[in-house]
Amino acid sequence: VTSFLNRKTLWRVASVTLVGSIALTVFATFFGVQIKGASRWVHFAGMSIQPSEFIKPAFAITAVSLMLAALPLIALANAASM
């Protein structure tokens, strides 16, 4: 599904997912359900999810987007130093 999104929309979805997952991870730290010894689970819509698993791909996409946005600035700085 994400392969059909343009770059800007993908960055927005990843950023919202990242912020939401971090908030759910903090919530799970204090109020999470313990499953198999780990209290990092949150019950949501009749199922248990581990919000930290959503952080990984969202962080990767957000980090790459920020690096790509900084690329022209880096090229400009390199050109000015020569």
Side-chain angles (χ1 to χ4, degrees):
V1 173
T2 58
S3 63
F4 296 116
L5 299 175
N6 65 24
R7 193 179 317 164
K8 193 171 187 175
T9 304
L10 181 61
W11 178 78
R12 286 180 181 162
V13 169
S15 297
V16 169
T17 302
L18 182 63
V19 171
S21 296
I22 290 172
L24 278 175
T25 300
V26 171
F27 176 81
T29 301
F30 298 107
F31 305 106
V33 178
Q34 187 172 1
I35 298 176
K36 295 184 182 180
S39 60
R40 296 178 298 265
W41 294 84
V42 175
H43 281 296
F44 181 74
M47 60 184 167
S48 298
I49 61 168
Q50 202 168 16
S52 61
E53 293 299 319
F54 295 99
I55 291 175
K56 297 170 189 177
F59 178 77
I61 293 169
T62 303
V64 168
S65 296
L66 292 172
M67 286 183 226
L68 285 173
L71 198 58
L73 297 174
I74 294 169
L76 183 64
N78 285 339
S81 67
M82 290 188 174

